[in-house]
């Protein structure tokens, strides 16, 4: 089912583009996990398009696509399960957005 963010078993899926961005992806994963967000890291050696489609099929509310550009800028590229690209955000801004959605029990 398409659960709202506050109710979804997995709220965010971290998707590294390549092995080069894997360390940064783990850092983002830990930062989100430590704030109480239910998050998974997809560190399989698959193409990013496959990982995104799979996460959309699983109805995960947010996907973080992390490549070289995101690592350099210390940001995350946020996509929704609807296929919309929100764009780059700092980790702190993303955590604030998620916390707000969870606390207000927002429905998308």
């Amino acid at each position: 089912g398409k659960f709202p963010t506050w109710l979804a078993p997995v709220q965010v899926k971290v998707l590294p583009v390549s092995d080069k961005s894997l360390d940064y992806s783990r850092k983002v994963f830990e930062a989100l996990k430590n704030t109480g967000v239910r998050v998974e890291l997809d560190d399989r050696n698959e193409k990013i398009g496959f990982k995104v489609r799979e996460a959309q099929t699983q109805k995960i509310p947010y996907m973080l696509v992390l490549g070289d550009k995101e690592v350099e800028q210390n940001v995350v590229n946020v996509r929704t399960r609807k296929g919309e690209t929100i764009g780059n955000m700092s980790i702190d801004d993303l955590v604030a957005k998620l916390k707000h959605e969870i606390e207000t029990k927002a429905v998308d």
Side-chain angles (χ1 to χ4, degrees), residues 3-108:
F3 292 115
T5 303
W6 61 273
L7 191 56
V10 177
Q11 297 164 325
V12 177
K13 193 150 204 174
V14 179
L15 307 171
V17 172
S18 68
D19 289 341
K20 289 188 259 180
S21 57
L22 196 53
D23 287 338
Y24 181 66
S25 298
R26 287 189 178 116
K27 178 183 157 192
V28 170
F29 170 79
E30 288 299 326
L32 291 172
K33 187 175 171 187
N34 291 338
T35 61
V37 174
R38 292 186 297 273
V39 60
E40 285 183 354
L41 173 65
D42 188 347
D43 57 358
R44 296 175 300 161
N45 191 15
E46 296 285 350
K47 293 186 176 171
I48 192 63
F50 176 79
K51 292 180 185 181
V52 169
R53 276 190 305 281
E54 190 174 63
Q56 285 175 324
T57 303
Q58 294 172 353
K59 306 277 192 241
I60 295 173
Y62 292 100
M63 292 152 273
L64 307 180
V65 178
L66 305 176
D68 294 339
K69 210 174 3 174
E70 288 77 20
V71 172
E72 286 174 20
Q73 298 173 2
N74 201 32
V75 295
V76 292
N77 185 308
V78 183
R79 294 186 187 190
T80 67
R81 66 176 147 218
K82 298 178 205 168
E84 300 168 349
T85 301
I86 294 175
N88 291 344
M89 302 176 97
S90 71
I91 297 170
D92 293 337
D93 289 346
L94 175 65
V95 168
K97 176 181 175 34
L98 292 170
K99 288 290 182 189
H100 176 73
E101 280 188 34
I102 292 165
E103 289 168 3
T104 61
K105 297 188 187 290
V107 178
D108 57 345

